[in-house]
């Protein structure tokens, strides 16, 4: 299916924030879809969001439940501040089928149970004529049918029944298919398959991911995407950053720091659309460098995004004010966007989306991540996090943003310090800050180690951080005693 045909195809919203972006606008209408996942992965919550999206459009919706009671569904909805108003709940159970069958025969055959269940569901559909339907869950039907061929025939018949009535249906399934071949058969019958994944790390919260493993006729963003279940929002999906989705590349401009001698080290200034690594030990002035460029950009009327992983917002303001950089008013006016994060509270996908939204909505020109080391420490798989941030940096570069990553080195003083994960390849520019003791005095130095675009100064200079501001001067060795 080409792009033009896809645009003409009728789609319906999944109701899940971020999922429609992955499936290019929504679920193709009048089809059957399967949501798979382990217990607690968010299947029921996502299904309720799907039906609520239909209710908002005035569509009749049915939730057929073989595994949960209406009271349980109401409790799930209430936990998010929702109601089931507008959603017809057809509550069935295997015991209901058995009891009705018992009135007819002393033998509780699977055929009778299946017939009773099918008739009840079809009768509800004929009566209420829904546009959307959720079937919860396939596990109960698999248990009633007892074998794979019968299960497949039942699904084929149900699919045809729904298609004749132009119903968009979600079938929930807890089957993992690691040892059961019926999973492949179910996937083959469905127009689309969405898998919800939940994993528990050794420390921290649960990590949730989503994968659209199949969607006929739709060029989906394949692979895993981070997701979360939020109170009041339900399932929220954070699509992976696609660098090519950024705005058209803009002409590079020089970004000034406000300190002439520092700008001279970069050949006149740093370039927009590049990434700068500010590397140094504790106390070398890394965060001060970031504040310096942020302040200069704000005074030029540009917006700045500052994302803190180690420092509190109030601490940032006080430190900046101690150096003569008053930034509170810029924050109150919305020109300075600041977010601070607690360890383990955010996934790479969500962080990338937060940064992307800031750049798109506020036209941010300078982004600071302070510190990138703290960001990596908050994630369980640091090497994968480096790959994720690389996509975000490419997106920011194409949007013409100067990105500054603060990278901490081990130790306090001296040489031979290092970084846990090699991130040097991420930087177009590398600014190295060092501190050393000499004759009872600590001296800071600053060096531009690397700059891909244009000339730069290779000299080591001395860095002074005082209440009056930041000063960079030629580095002169102290005279010998």
């Amino acid at each position: 299916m080409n792009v033009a045909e896809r645009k003409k195809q009728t789609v319906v919203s999944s109701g899940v924030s971020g999922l429609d972006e992955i499936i290019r606008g929504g679920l193709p209408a009048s089809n059957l879809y399967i949501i798979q996942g382990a217990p607690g992965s968010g299947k029921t919550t996502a299904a309720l969001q799907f039906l609520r999206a239909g209710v908002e459009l005035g569509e009749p919706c049915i939730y057929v439940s073989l595994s949960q009671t209406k009271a349980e569904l109401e409790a799930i909805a209430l936990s998010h501040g929702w109601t089931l108003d507008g959603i017809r709940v057809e509550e069935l159970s295997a015991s209901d089928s058995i009891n009705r069958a018992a009135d007819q025969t002393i033998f509780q055959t699977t055929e009778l149970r299946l017939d009773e269940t099918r008739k009840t569901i079809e009768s509800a559909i004929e009566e209420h004529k829904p546009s959307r339907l959720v079937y919860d869950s396939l596990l109960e039907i698999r248990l009633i049918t007892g074998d794979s061929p019968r299960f497949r025939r039942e699904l084929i018949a149900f699919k045809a029944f729904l298609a004749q009535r132009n119903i968009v249906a979600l079938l929930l399934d807890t089957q993992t298919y690691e040892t059961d071949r019926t999973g492949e058969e179910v996937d083959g019958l469905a127009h689309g398959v969405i898998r919800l994944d939940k994993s528990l790390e050794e420390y921290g919260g649960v990590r949730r991911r989503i994968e659209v493993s199949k969607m006929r006729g739709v060029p989906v963003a394949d692979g895993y995407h981070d997701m979360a279940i939020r109170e009041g929002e339900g399932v929220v999906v954070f699509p992976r950053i696609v660098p090519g989705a950024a705005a058209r590349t803009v002409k590079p401009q020089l970004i000034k720091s406000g300190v002439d001698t520092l700008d001279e080290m970069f050949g006149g200034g740093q370039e927009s659309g590049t990434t700068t690594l500010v590397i140094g030990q504790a106390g070398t002035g890394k965060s001060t460098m970031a504040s310096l460029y942020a302040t200069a950009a704000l005074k030029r009327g540009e917006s700045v995004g500052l994302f803190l992983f180690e420092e509190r917002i109030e601490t940032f303001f006080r430190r900046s004010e101690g150096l003569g950089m008053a930034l509170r008013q810029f924050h109150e006016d919305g020109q300075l966007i600041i977010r601070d994060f607690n360890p383990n509270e955010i996934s790479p996908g969500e962080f990338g989306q937060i940064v992307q939204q800031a750049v798109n909505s506020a036209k941010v020109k300078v982004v600071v991540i302070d510190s990138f080391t703290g960001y990596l420490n908050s994630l369980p798989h640091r090497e994968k996090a480096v790959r994720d941030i690389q996509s975000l940096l490419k997106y920011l570069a194409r949007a013409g943003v100067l990105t500054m990553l603060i990278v901490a080195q081990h130790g306090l003083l001296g040489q031979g310090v290092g970084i846990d994960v090699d991130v040097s390849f991420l930087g177009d520019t590398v600014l190295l800050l060092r501190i050393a003791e000499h004759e009872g005095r600590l001296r800071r130095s600053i060096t531009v180690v690397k700059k891909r675009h244009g000339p730069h100064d290779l000299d080591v200079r001395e860095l002074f951080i005082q209440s009056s501001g930041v000063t960079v001067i030629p580095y002169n060795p102290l005279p010998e005693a």
Side-chain angles (χ1 to χ4, degrees):
M1 181 179 295
N2 58 36
V3 177
E5 291 172 332
R6 171 62 177 163
K7 290 181 178 179
K8 294 179 182 179
Q9 187 180 33
T10 302
V11 298
V12 299
S13 173
S14 66
V16 176
S17 175
L19 179 56
D20 287 350
E21 182 179 339
I22 294 174
I23 57 179
R24 302 296 189 260
L27 299 167
S30 305
N31 287 304
L32 182 148
Y33 302 92
I34 293 177
I35 296 184
Q36 298 172 348
S41 59
K43 299 186 301 299
T44 302
T45 302
L48 289 176
Q49 290 173 253
F50 168 71
L51 295 183
R52 282 171 51 81
V55 170
E56 291 180 0
L57 296 174
E59 300 175 359
C61 301
I62 290 183
Y63 194 113
V64 178
S65 179
L66 282 77
S67 60
Q68 300 187 81
T69 66
K70 183 176 181 180
E72 289 172 329
L73 293 174
E74 288 176 338
I76 293 173
L78 184 61
S79 69
H80 294 289
W82 307 335
T83 69
L84 298 182
D85 294 347
I87 299 175
R88 174 79 178 187
V89 178
E90 288 293 330
E91 183 182 342
L92 306 175
S93 69
S95 61
D96 292 334
S97 300
I98 293 173
N99 291 335
R100 283 193 290 270
D103 295 335
Q104 305 174 46
T105 176
I106 62 173
F107 300 105
Q108 308 306 322
T109 67
T110 58
E111 296 293 347
L112 281 175
R113 298 182 193 178
L114 194 58
D115 286 344
E116 289 292 330
T117 301
R118 184 193 311 113
K119 289 177 182 178
T120 302
I121 294 172
E122 291 179 354
S123 175
I125 292 174
E126 294 290 11
E127 179 183 354
H128 301 291
K129 296 179 171 55
S131 297
R132 302 186 184 210
L133 178 141
V134 168
Y135 197 109
D136 183 5
S137 72
L138 287 182
L139 177 61
E140 280 69 20
I141 298 301
R142 186 181 287 105
L143 293 175
I144 293 176
T145 54
D147 61 61
S148 178
R150 184 180 295 149
F151 177 64
R152 180 178 175 82
R153 290 196 301 270
E154 189 66 21
L155 281 185
I156 291 175
F158 188 55
K159 177 182 178 181
F161 179 84
L162 296 174
Q164 291 172 0
R165 292 154 181 79
N166 297 319
I167 298 173
V168 184
L170 292 186
L171 277 59
L172 310 189
D173 197 6
T174 56
Q175 193 76 0
T176 60
Y177 309 142
E178 292 178 357
T179 58
D180 193 338
R181 297 291 294 177
T182 60
E184 297 179 5
E185 298 175 2
V186 171
D187 291 358
L189 290 174
H191 193 84
V193 178
I194 300 171
R195 292 194 171 106
L196 306 184
D197 178 70
K198 181 182 74 170
S199 61
L200 185 62
E201 305 296 338
E202 292 184 3
Y203 177 79
V206 170
R207 183 181 182 187
R208 301 181 186 274
R209 302 182 297 175
I210 187 170
E211 178 203 8
V212 181
S213 62
K214 173 185 176 182
M215 192 65 63
R216 287 186 180 134
V218 180
V220 301
D222 56 3
Y224 281 114
H225 303 263
D226 287 322
M227 60 166 272
I229 300 179
R230 298 281 170 77
E231 183 179 351
E233 298 179 80
V235 174
V236 182
V237 177
F238 309 106
R240 291 195 320 275
I241 294 290
V242 179
R248 185 178 60 183
T249 303
V250 297
K251 183 179 179 180
Q253 298 178 340
L254 287 180
I255 306 294
K256 303 284 187 177
S257 66
V259 178
D260 293 340
T261 50
L262 177 59
D263 293 334
E264 290 173 3
M265 298 182 68
F266 292 101
Q270 299 200 57
E271 290 189 4
S272 60
T274 63
T275 299
T276 297
L277 299 182
V278 184
I279 302 176
Q281 302 150 269
T284 53
K286 301 184 299 299
S287 296
T288 299
M289 284 291 109
S291 298
L292 195 65
Y293 279 91
T295 302
L298 292 168
K299 289 183 177 179
R300 289 193 299 268
E302 301 169 355
S303 294
V304 174
L306 181 60
F307 304 97
L308 305 175
F309 284 89
E310 295 182 355
E311 194 173 40
R312 294 186 302 110
I313 294 179
E314 180 61 27
T315 303
F316 165 79
F317 281 135
R318 291 185 179 183
R319 178 178 53 75
S320 300
E321 288 166 353
L323 300 173
M325 307 177 201
L327 301 176
R328 292 181 190 268
Q329 190 60 48
F330 292 108
H331 179 50
E332 294 174 2
D333 295 340
Q335 190 179 343
L336 172 61
I337 300 171
I338 306 180
R339 289 287 304 273
D340 63 333
F341 303 96
N342 293 322
N344 305 304
E345 75 163 7
I346 192 167
S347 65
E350 182 178 3
F351 176 68
Q353 189 172 97
I354 290 172
V355 177
Q356 185 180 8
Q357 290 174 347
V359 171
N360 293 338
S361 61
K363 297 181 180 180
V364 167
K365 294 301 180 184
V366 176
V367 165
V368 177
I369 300 177
D370 187 3
S371 73
F372 185 54
T373 309
Y375 169 75
L376 292 179
N377 288 338
S378 67
L379 300 172
H381 305 292
R382 303 179 69 184
E383 291 76 11
K384 182 180 181 302
V386 172
R387 295 195 298 270
D388 291 333
I389 203 73
Q390 191 173 16
S391 296
L392 175 60
L393 295 177
K394 287 182 178 180
Y395 179 93
L396 296 175
R398 294 180 183 181
V401 174
L402 170 64
T403 306
M404 302 188 71
L405 301 181
I406 309 303
V407 182
Q409 290 180 306
H410 296 301
L412 292 174
L413 300 174
Q415 306 297 323
V417 293
I419 304 171
D420 287 342
V421 179
D422 181 18
V423 295
S424 59
F425 67 95
L426 296 176
D428 300 296
T429 303
V430 177
L431 184 62
L432 178 62
L433 305 180
R434 290 177 292 185
I435 188 169
E437 181 272 336
H438 185 85
E439 297 292 335
R441 173 189 167 195
L442 292 179
R443 302 180 70 184
R444 294 186 179 94
S445 64
I446 180 171
T447 311
V448 180
V449 176
K450 168 187 174 183
K451 185 171 185 284
R452 282 199 180 112
H453 307 281
H456 64 92
D457 190 349
L458 292 174
D459 292 342
V460 177
R461 302 200 182 192
E462 190 162 9
L463 173 66
F464 289 94
I465 302 176
Q466 302 168 316
S467 59
S468 57
V470 175
T471 307
V472 176
I473 65 171
Y475 193 95
N476 296 316
L478 293 175
E480 294 292 338

